[in-house]
Structure formats: C-alpha cells, structure tokens
C-alpha cells in the first residue's frame, strides 16, 4: 500500500495509536518516578527490612524481561483470582520495570553529592528534613536529569508491550501488527509508526538536554 | 567584637573535654583526652597524621561521637540528638578541610542558607549581613558565582563567612589550609588571624606552625590519640618537653 | 586515610542518639510486620486457589523437565549471542561512521543510531516477521529474532564504543603516530583495544537487554525458553508455576550478567588506583 492509501484508511487510527502510546508513557513514567522515589527512600533508610525489600525489588524488576512480567500479569494472575484489564496489565508492567531503573539513577544522583556538604549542613545546625530538602534533593534531581530523560524514552519503548495483548485502542506497535495481518501494509506502515516513535524520542532528548543545561551543577 | 569573658570569677571554660575516649573499632583514637577552652582563646592543635586531632575537633560539635567521658559546652553536656543538638551546632561554627560549600547554590545563598533556615532570619536581613561578611573575608565580588567558579582560597574564605553568619560562640577549624595550593594559604590564614584579633574563640587543627606561633593562646600537641603537651606557643616551640614533640618539630623544619 | 569510598549515601544518617535508636527499632519492627503480612496475603492467595497443589510443582523434581527447559534456554542463548555479535559488528561500523571526517557519513550514521534507539524492539521484530516476507524473502525464525534484536541494540553499542574511544587519552594516539604507525593501524591496534576495555561493563549491561529482548522469540515462533515453557504448560496444565519458574530463570541469568559487569568495573577501578 502506498502512503496515501495507508493514511486514508488508517490515518485516524495512527493518530489514536500515537495518543495511546503517549498516554501510556505519561502514566507509566509518572508511576515509575513515584515508585522509584519510594524505593530510593527505602534504600537509604536506616531500617534494614526496608533496605532489603528495596534491593530485592530492584534486582527483580531490573532483570525480569517485560514479556515475562506481562505474561504473568495477564495469564497467571487470573489463576490467583486476580483479574486485571489489559490496559492495567501493560501499565503495571511498564511502570514496575522503569521504577527499578529510576531508583538506580536517583541513587547515582545522590552519590554525586560530595558527602562533606551534608556534614557542613549538619554543622550549621540544619535538621535532617532541612538537609534533605535544601541539599540532597535539589542536587540529586539536578544531576539525574539526563538519565531520567533516557528513562522516559525507554518507558515509551516499553509501552510497545501493549501490542502483545488485545488492548483497544491499539498502540503504535500493535497497529502495525494489525495492519500487516489484514493487508499488505509494507514498509510504509512500519515506517510511519517508527518515525512517530523516533520523533517523540528526539523531542524528549532535546527537551532533556535543554533542562540539563539549565540546571546542571558545576563541580 | 566577640563575646570575651575576661573576668576571673566566672572562668568557666566554654568548652570542656573531660576524659574523653573514642574507638574506631579496635583502634583507640582518643585516649583519655581532657582539654578546657576558655572564651577568647585560640587553641591550636598540632601533631602527626593519625594523632586524632581531627577527630578531637569533630567531637566538639558531635560530628563524631565519643565512647566515654564528657564534653561540656558552656557547662552543659552536649545534647545527643534532635533539635537540641541542631541548636548547639548553630552556636559552633566549623570550617572543613575540603570547604564543603553547597555546590548547587551561589556563594551568597551559601552564606544565607544557615541564618534563614536555622535562625529564621528574614531574607533581606540575611542577604545584607551575608554581603558584609563576604566583603569582610575578601570575596564580596564573587557573591553571585557558584563555588566551582572560585579558587580554593576563595572557597575557604566563603566557607568561613558561611560559618560566621550564624554568629557562633566558637569556631572550629579542621585543617583549613591543608587542601589549598601554597599561594592561597596566606589569604585564609589572614582571615583567621583577624578573627582571632577580634576575640573569637577558636580551636584550630593545622600544620601551619608560623600561624600557631603568632596567633595561638595555647598549643596542644597530640600524638597517637593522647595530648602529650599543652603550652604557650613560645614555650612549646622553643622548649618542647617531650621526646616526641621534639622529634615532630625537627621533622617539619625546613619545609 | 581509608581507601573505602565514602558517598553521600553513607553520610545521610549520623550516629543515632538513644531516642533515635528506639524509633529505628520500632519502625524496623513495624516494617517487618508489614512485609510479613504482605507475604502471608500472597501465600494465602496461592493456597486458596489451589496453586500450591503438588500437581503443579512436582514435575519440577524430574530431571527431564529441567533438560527440556535447558534446551529452550539454549535456544534463548543462541539467539542472544548471535544478536550480540551482529549488534557489536553493526555498532562498531556505525561508531566508525559517527566519528569519521566525512560530514555526510557522520550525519547518516548519527541518524541511523538515533533511529535504532528510538524505535521499540517489538516494532523491528514485527517488521521482520510480517513485512519482510511480503517481499518474498524467506528467513528462518532464528534470524527473524536475532536480526531485529541486533538492530535495536547496535545503536546503543555504537554510542558505548564511542564513549570508550573518547576516553582513551590522546597521548596514546600521539605516541603511536610518532612511532610511524599509520592512522588505521593506530586506531585498530592502539586506541580501540583500550576503548573496549573501558566499556566492557556497559557492553555486558547491553547484553542483559539483548537477553531480555530475545524473550519476544515467541512472536516469530522461535523455540526458546518461553516456547518450551508453553509445552510444559499444556502437558501439565500448570501455567502459573511454570511461568513463575521461567521468570525466575530469566531474573537469575540477568542478575548474574549484571554481577559480572559490576565485578569487571570494580576490577578496572582498582587497577586505575594502583597504576596511578
């Protein structure tokens, strides 16, 4: 099929798929960020069970393949009488996994802080919450901008898992699979989706670079 | 300029370490340390590496804990935690070997952070005072820069201003010039000398012997965790009483 | 001076006083209870749905089960290794193009790298599974999974190799050139070997991603661990237990790969400290 035919027939669906991918990415990244913060808090806390729990979480969700996790959520959970919608399964898989990486990046951000600064803040008489708010969080976040930007792109790529379940509306990858199983979509069908993914990734990268340049800490 | 209590009646030391012991695991780093610091005094602590002098300095504001003995500030034992400890630390200034300025804020913000957060000074007042202090230590023109843009000497002077902004009763200096290039040591020592001249109570851990000779009220010599000698600088440098002090002084000549 | 690196993380909490110690003990107790409660809820759910029944787990005691899974794992590793080799080759070429003197070549390679990094692996897999046959090209399932996974990874490999090349001190190139070596030899014999050594940990990390991507082999009907698992499931009607075990196997493999990467990185750090 030529590009004009494709767009005529599937143009609207491509737009819908793009929005679906964006929506999934936004939801999953936000969830991953929040979970990542929580896991990081556990990791640095003086409470051992929480630290162990956090380390376990990271080892499991850093290393589990997305497909494996999705299959567990979609096909295995019903055996435990837990039925989740397809959308929810994809969202959970695409949130839990990036959350592990988010925590790793935040941890690296915290470790960019010269430890003496925390001592200096303490010596001034600042309390623990003041030190966290005034020294740790600003520096950790500002140092993690680039890795977190990459994580946003990676999350978007992970949402392609949605193509593995009969989720409606379809995402960009699921749409290509659909078009090509019902017609000869050819390279064009693939290229449209690929370009949309790619363009989004490039824009995310550019914005990330801009933000990083503004907030980067000179050391 | 600073609170100097010269009346002999109320000669209570502002800081008093009494039979302080500290262990790092098996290592006995502070052995039965007893030391009194009176208002207006400049105590210079010298000694070879590993003698425990930095640790001694850091126990005073409880950045290091002690295993036995007592440390009194203005007659009261150091609080062990919480708001009281933070309040105590606000009264004791500390200057670190590696400056430890907050990398993500400007120099001016570095100096106002303490007063605004801890003393709840309003921003305008804190900023004005901060500029005065920065000018006093000679880095007023650097106020809107970030620490990475300053030389080591400038950073350390800014760090001194940061501590002064809290109006501390005592200032602790933990090897303030050891991380500086030689040509910048002088400018920092000059600031410290002028502080001493204004009557600030100071505890200084350093290798700068000339500074000790000129400015110290008392020199404390430490080795292997114990205080071996305590004397006026003149007495100590011309007539060291212990073998180890003599050895130490000889080994640092000619540098 | 101690040689242990103190990080900000170590400094966050200071030596707790008595009240703080008590608070820590209390919260530790509460969190232990919470985690235990969570575990109980999960195990209970397993129990009441009958998933703890031995019929779902007993076949794991048999050696044949594991040899069968092992064959599937071999398939996974075959595909992963081939994808790794292809990705490394393609990544190497892309990296050369990216740092070349010719602007057009640089531009093309940069665009290709960004393209492979901005598109999900699944989309590449669908391309090879659904679109390529439309042009009459026949490919075994093995290539239908290894090639797209390799394409997806080669962009990252190119950038990782490039960072390694940038990390080699310029002095190395200068010394080699002054010995009379030619540009090409200098690069291949002096710069690149060092560049690789710098980035081995990052390359291993990318290998983990390759292994994870090969789990999509079921899309192209390639017999890997996942496919063999499906056979077990239909034989023993034990979906939950099998998929759980498979997940654990994948986690273990990737965990070990990551540990390898960390060990290599730690050894490199130590070497650096000793030499200087």
């Amino acid at each position: 099929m030529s590009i004009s035919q494709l767009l005529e027939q599937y143009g609207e669906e491509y737009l819908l798929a793009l929005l679906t991918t964006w929506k999934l990415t936004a939801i999953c990244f936000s969830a991953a960020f929040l979970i990542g913060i929580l896991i990081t808090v556990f990791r640095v806390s003086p409470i051992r069970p929480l630290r162990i729990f956090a380390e376990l979480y990271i080892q499991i969700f850093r290393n589990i393949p997305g497909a494996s996790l999705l299959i567990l959520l979609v096909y295995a959970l019903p055996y435990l009488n837990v039925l989740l919608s397809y959308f929810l399964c994809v969202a959970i898989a695409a949130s839990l996994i990036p959350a592990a990486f988010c925590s790793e990046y935040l941890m690296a951000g915290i470790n960019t802080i010269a430890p003496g600064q925390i001592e200096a803040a303490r010596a001034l008489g600042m309390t623990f919450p003041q030190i966290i708010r005034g020294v740790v969080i600003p520096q950790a976040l500002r140092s993690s901008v680039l890795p977190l930007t990459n994580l946003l792109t990676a999350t978007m790529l992970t949402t392609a898992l949605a193509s593995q379940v009969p989720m409606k509306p379809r995402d960009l990858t699921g749409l290509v699979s659909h078009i090509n199983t019902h017609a000869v979509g050819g390279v064009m069908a693939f290229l449209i989706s690929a370009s949309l993914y790619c363009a989004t990734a490039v824009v995310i990268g550019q914005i990330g670079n801009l933000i990083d340049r503004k907030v980067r800490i000179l050391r | 300029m600073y609170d100097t209590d010269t009346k002999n009646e109320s000669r209570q030391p502002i800081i008093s370490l009494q039979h302080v012991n500290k262990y790092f695991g098996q290592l006995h780093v502070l052995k039965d340390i007893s030391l009194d610091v009176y208002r207006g005094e400049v105590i210079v602590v010298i000694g070879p590496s590993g003698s425990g002098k930095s640790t001694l300095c850091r126990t005073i504001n409880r950045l290091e804990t002690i295993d036995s003995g007592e440390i009194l500030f203005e007659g009261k034992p150091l609080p062990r935690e919480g708001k009281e400890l933070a309040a105590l630390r606000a009264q004791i200034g500390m200057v670190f070997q590696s400056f430890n300025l907050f990398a993500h804020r400007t120099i001016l913000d570095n100096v106002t952070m303490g007063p605004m957060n801890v003393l709840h000074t309003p921003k305008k007042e804190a900023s004005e005072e901060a500029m005065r202090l920065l000018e006093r230590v000679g880095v007023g023109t650097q106020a809107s820069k970030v620490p990475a843009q300053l030389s080591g000497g400038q950073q350390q002077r800014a760090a001194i201003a940061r501590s002064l902004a809290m109006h501390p009763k005592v200032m602790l200096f933990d090897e303030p010039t050891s991380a500086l290039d030689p040509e910048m040591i002088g400018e920092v020592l000059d600031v410290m000398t002028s502080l001493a001249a204004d009557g600030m109570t100071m505890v200084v851990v350093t290798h700068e012997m000339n500074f000790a000779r000129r400015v110290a009220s008392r020199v404390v010599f430490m080795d292997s965790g114990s205080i071996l000698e305590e004397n006026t600088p003149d007495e100590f440098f011309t007539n060291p009483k212990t073998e180890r002090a003599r050895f130490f002084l000889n080994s640092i000549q000619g540098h | 001076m101690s040689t242990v690196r103190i990080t900000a993380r170590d400094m966050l909490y200071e030596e707790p006083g008595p009240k703080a110690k008590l608070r820590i003990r209390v919260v530790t107790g509460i969190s232990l209870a919470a985690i235990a409660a969570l575990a109980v809820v999960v195990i209970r759910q397993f129990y009441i749905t009958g998933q703890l029944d031995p019929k779902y787990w007993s076949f794991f005691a048999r050696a044949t089960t594991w040899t069968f899974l092992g064959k599937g794992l071999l398939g996974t590793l075959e595909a992963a290794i081939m994808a790794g080799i292809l990705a490394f080759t393609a990544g190497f070429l892309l990296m050369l193009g990216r740092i070349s003197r010719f602007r057009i070549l640089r531009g093309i390679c940069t665009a290709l790298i960004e393209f492979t990094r901005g598109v999900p692996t699944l989309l590449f897999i669908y391309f090879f599974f659904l679109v390529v046959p439309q042009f009459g090209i026949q490919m075994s399932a093995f290539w239908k999974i290894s090639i797209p996974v390799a394409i997806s990874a080669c962009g990252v490999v190119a950038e990782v190799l490039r960072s390694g090349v940038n990390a080699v001190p310029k002095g190395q190139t200068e010394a080699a050139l002054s010995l009379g070596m030619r540009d090409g030899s200098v690069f291949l014999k002096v710069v690149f070997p060092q560049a690789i050594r710098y980035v081995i940990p990052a390359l291993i990390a990318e290998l983990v991603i390759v292994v994870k991507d090969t789990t999509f082999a079921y899309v192209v009907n390639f017999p890997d661990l996942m496919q063999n698992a499906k056979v077990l499931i239909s034989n023993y009607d034990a979906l939950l237990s099998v998929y759980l075990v498979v997940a654990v196997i994948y986690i273990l493999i990737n965990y070990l790969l990551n540990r390898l990467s960390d060990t290599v990185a730690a050894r490199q750090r130590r070497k650096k400290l000793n030499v200087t």
Side-chain angles (χ1 to χ4, degrees), chain B residues 62-63 65 80-81 84-85 89, chain C residues 14-20:
Chain B
R62 209 184 176 272
L63 285 185
T65 53
R80 290 210 267 173
E81 60 188 338
E84 303 85 34
L85 181 55
R89 286 176 172 150
Chain C
E14 50 173 341
E15 188 75 39
K19 264 191 270 181

Side-chain angles (χ1 to χ4, degrees), chain C residues 30 58 69 72 102 109 119 128 137 153 177 195 234-235 251 275:
Chain C
I30 295 178
S58 57
L69 281 176
F102 304 112
C109 287
V119 177
F128 277 85
I137 303 177
L177 285 173
S234 57
N235 273 354
I251 292 176
V275 168

Side-chain angles (χ1 to χ4, degrees), chain A residues 24-60:
Chain A
L24 258 175
T25 306
I27 293 175
C28 294
F29 184 74
S30 314
F33 189 67
L34 290 172
I35 299 174
I37 291 181
L38 186 66
I39 297 290
T40 309
V41 168
F42 284 2
R43 271 173 95 178
V44 301
S45 81
I47 298 168
R48 212 145 166 266
L50 292 179
R51 282 204 308 268
I52 298 178
F53 179 81
E55 290 294 341
L56 253 160
Y57 178 92
I58 289 180
Q59 290 311 326
I60 293 177

Side-chain angles (χ1 to χ4, degrees), chain C residues 92 95-96 99 161 165-166 173 176-177 181-195:
Chain C
F92 177 68
M95 182 261 302
L96 287 179
I99 60 178
L161 289 176
V165 167
N166 285 338
T173 315
L177 285 173
M181 286 176 78
R182 294 210 346 256
D183 270 351
S185 301
V186 169
F187 186 80
L188 277 175
K189 294 205 187 122
V190 175
V191 176
F192 193 65
Q194 295 188 50

